[in-house]
Amino acid sequence: MKKTNIPTPFAPTSASEISESFLHYIWKTKNFNALELISTAGKPIRLSNWGNHNHDAGPDFLDGMMEYDGITWAGHIEIHVKSSDWYKHHHQVDPAYDQVILHVVWEDDRPVKDIHLVPIPTLVMSDLVDPALIDRSKDLVQSRYRLPCANHIGGISTFWLNAWKERQLIERLEFRTIKLMLRLEEVNGDWEQVAFELLFRSMGFHANSDALEALAQDISWQLVRKHVHDENNLQAILFGRAGMLDEKLTGKYPDKLKTTYGFLKNKHKLSSQVFIKWNLKGARPANFPTIRIAQLASLLFNKTSLMRNIIEAESVDQLKVMFELNVHEFWNTHYVFHKSVDQTRIGLSASSVRLLIINYCIPLIYASGYIKQDEMLKERAIRFLYEMPTEKNSVLSEFKSAGVLCRSAAESQALLHTFKVYCAPKRCLECQVGAKVVSD
């Protein structure tokens, strides 16, 4: 008997057990019987370009190409669990899907036509995929562990994991760069304003990051720069706009700040301050917003540019110097305005300074290099991360328990990014580790 190249079909798995993300993974990795693809119309499909995965609105894979029915087709590829999802998502009336040349589905439960009522070639995947692959993906995505691949990742070679962590680090830096670029566009290319806002957000250390960022946007670097050489004015503006100079406050220092803020508010015609909700729940006194604002006033004092010192720094030690504080003496015995203590811990700890370098300085250096196409700046940002010790938190402990070593801030940033973007939302099949676990 003559041998055939047509693969033996697998027993189909129910559509209810299949996710669209799984189909995206299968299509992107071509991890199925792809030797002889036949449409629902019984015609061969020969793909020369499987398309580029689209993570934005529109068809799932862009710019594909195939030979079908004696014609070369160029366009997009859309993937659904059921063909009827085409109508459920209203693609039949969406011009963005007018160039779809192939509809890839798990179950063909309804013929599909484009916006011009022309039938779209459809490929059914249900008998092309090994059920063992489906089972492994379900085990991963439905894992009860905080780190879904905890039982598998430790068995992957160190060489492969190191290369993967390098890619994850670049992805994290570029994610942050995109955010900074969007904000840069909103403030008409004002790097100093972007740096000013990021400094405030970073000084919130999660507990008050949003609140301090809102404060920075309310004040603006343009106003602060006019007063960077007057420490009293700086403190008055920051505490005043933060809504912390209550009329009931008494004492020499609060009275002076209130008087100064009243004068500056009239001088600069400042509107009533925006309402900012400060988070004190579970915060240690050293992380109270009053302390952070006092520290910010010290960091801003005599700084006519925030970006220059960051971009010109040649070493991590030079960045550390930027965070040396000389806070007003009032805060040596106060965590809040209305109550004194014997002594406070007013300085930034070594771990806090490292976090500020990681979350404030490094993103600005890398983004600046990215936008200016300055590879030296980008490489410097990465080098600084490799020179700094790893962070310590529960997420990194999870990776350590799973057998993944973390030797620097570069690697801890890569792992934290992976957890936030892929592990926590169970996007395992979009993660290279998850894809490898399922494929292997």
Side-chain angles (χ1 to χ4, degrees):
M1 180 181 291
K2 184 179 178 180
K3 291 184 178 179
T4 177
N5 289 326
I6 298 176
T8 302
F10 293 106
T13 300
S14 170
S16 63
E17 299 182 48
I18 301 299
S19 68
E20 201 166 292
S21 62
F22 174 74
L23 292 179
H24 286 194
Y25 155 74
I26 289 295
W27 189 258
K28 189 160 56 173
T29 60
K30 305 179 185 63
N31 207 340
F32 62 97
N33 287 337
L35 293 177
E36 296 283 348
L37 302 180
I38 306 296
S39 74
T40 53
K43 298 178 181 180
I45 299 170
R46 295 184 177 89
L47 284 142
S48 55
N49 188 328
W50 297 67
N52 302 308
H53 199 183
N54 175 31
H55 297 282
D56 298 319
D60 296 316
F61 288 81
L62 306 178
D63 303 323
M65 186 173 289
M66 69 178 185
E67 294 290 330
Y68 183 74
D69 203 15
I71 301 172
T72 300
W73 299 55
H76 311 316
I77 299 165
E78 179 67 1
I79 294 178
H80 287 124
V81 174
K82 295 183 177 183
S83 57
S84 58
D85 291 338
W86 177 271
Y87 295 100
K88 183 178 179 181
H89 300 160
H90 307 294
H91 295 335
Q92 78 278 14
V93 293
D94 189 342
Y97 293 82
D98 191 28
Q99 300 299 316
V100 169
I101 60 171
L102 181 63
H103 194 207
V104 179
V105 301
W106 189 260
E107 179 184 315
D108 180 34
D109 63 338
R110 181 179 178 182
V112 167
K113 297 180 181 180
D114 64 17
I115 197 170
H116 305 293
L117 302 181
V118 176
I120 299 174
T122 299
L123 173 66
V124 177
M125 300 286 287
S126 55
D127 59 353
L128 301 177
V129 180
D130 187 345
L133 203 66
I134 300 171
D135 291 340
R136 289 198 295 272
S137 71
K138 284 163 57 179
D139 287 344
L140 197 61
V141 175
Q142 296 173 7
S143 171
R144 62 183 176 85
Y145 295 110
R146 191 180 182 199
L147 191 63
C149 60
N151 290 334
H152 307 279
I153 193 169
I156 299 175
S157 74
T158 301
F159 177 81
W160 192 95
L161 285 174
N162 286 342
W164 166 73
K165 282 184 280 189
E166 289 177 7
R167 293 190 294 271
Q168 293 302 97
L169 172 62
I170 298 302
E171 184 176 298
R172 181 172 182 81
L173 290 170
E174 292 187 351
F175 268 38
R176 289 189 164 189
T177 294
I178 290 170
K179 285 186 177 181
L180 292 175
M181 288 171 65
L182 290 172
R183 184 56 184 158
L184 196 61
E185 186 176 351
E186 291 173 349
V187 296
N188 300 315
D190 189 344
W191 273 104
E192 295 293 340
Q193 177 64 28
V194 171
F196 179 65
E197 292 174 11
L198 186 57
L199 173 61
F200 274 57
R201 180 170 187 83
S202 301
M203 282 291 289
F205 294 100
H206 299 298
N208 282 293
S209 293
D210 290 342
L212 282 172
E213 183 179 40
L215 177 62
Q217 291 174 354
D218 171 64
I219 296 173
S220 86
W221 168 252
Q222 186 178 8
L223 172 61
V224 165
R225 188 177 181 182
K226 295 175 182 177
H227 300 280
V228 292
H229 299 302
D230 190 317
E231 195 170 12
N232 183 64
N233 285 4
L234 263 181
Q235 293 175 70
I237 290 171
L238 297 189
F239 283 116
R241 299 308 293 173
M244 294 180 178
L245 298 181
D246 191 285
E247 292 181 0
K248 297 178 182 178
L249 289 177
T250 58
K252 183 178 179 181
Y253 174 68
D255 285 343
K256 186 176 182 181
L257 290 182
K258 286 192 292 184
T259 300
T260 302
Y261 177 63
F263 169 76
L264 294 174
K265 184 178 180 181
N266 290 328
K267 178 181 178 180
H268 296 294
K269 297 180 173 57
L270 302 179
S271 61
S272 299
Q273 61 262 26
V274 296
F275 173 75
I276 298 176
K277 185 176 181 180
W278 300 103
N279 179 25
L280 295 175
K281 186 177 180 180
R284 289 176 291 183
N287 202 29
F288 281 1
T290 42
I291 295 298
R292 294 306 183 201
I293 290 174
Q295 292 170 336
L296 280 162
S298 176
L299 291 174
L300 293 169
F301 184 54
N302 281 333
K303 301 291 193 309
T304 55
S305 170
L306 298 176
M307 283 294 294
R308 185 172 60 247
N309 290 341
I310 295 172
I311 297 302
E312 293 178 353
E314 296 285 347
S315 68
V316 173
D317 285 340
Q318 288 180 7
L319 292 175
K320 288 179 181 178
V321 172
M322 294 171 45
F323 300 102
E324 293 178 354
L325 298 176
N326 185 21
V327 178
H328 190 280
E329 61 182 3
F330 177 85
W331 299 106
N332 290 330
T333 55
H334 291 77
Y335 285 114
V336 290
F337 277 106
H338 60 274
K339 185 178 180 181
S340 64
V341 294
D342 291 337
Q343 188 175 5
T344 64
R345 296 178 59 187
I346 194 61
L348 290 167
S349 67
S351 61
S352 294
V353 170
R354 284 197 297 271
L355 286 174
L356 287 169
I357 292 173
I358 290 170
N359 295 313
Y360 169 56
C361 300
I362 300 296
L364 289 171
I365 296 171
Y366 189 89
S368 181
Y370 185 93
I371 293 171
K372 296 175 183 177
Q373 297 184 333
D374 186 334
E375 291 300 318
M376 288 183 63
L377 272 181
K378 291 166 64 178
E379 290 171 5
R380 184 185 303 167
I382 294 169
R383 172 170 59 84
F384 286 169
L385 285 173
Y386 275 105
E387 291 174 355
M388 297 175 65
T390 180
E391 299 149 89
K392 294 181 180 180
N393 56 43
S394 62
V395 171
L396 297 174
S397 296
E398 294 274 356
F399 277 103
K400 184 178 180 181
S401 297
V404 181
L405 298 178
C406 190
R407 300 159 298 185
S408 67
E411 294 192 347
S412 60
Q413 283 288 289
L415 296 179
L416 290 171
H417 172 75
T418 299
F419 183 82
K420 179 180 179 181
V421 176
Y422 299 101
C423 304
K426 293 295 181 73
R427 293 173 59 194
C428 303
L429 297 176
E430 298 173 55
C431 170
Q432 290 174 325
V433 169
K436 184 174 179 62
V437 168
V438 172
S439 298
D440 291 351

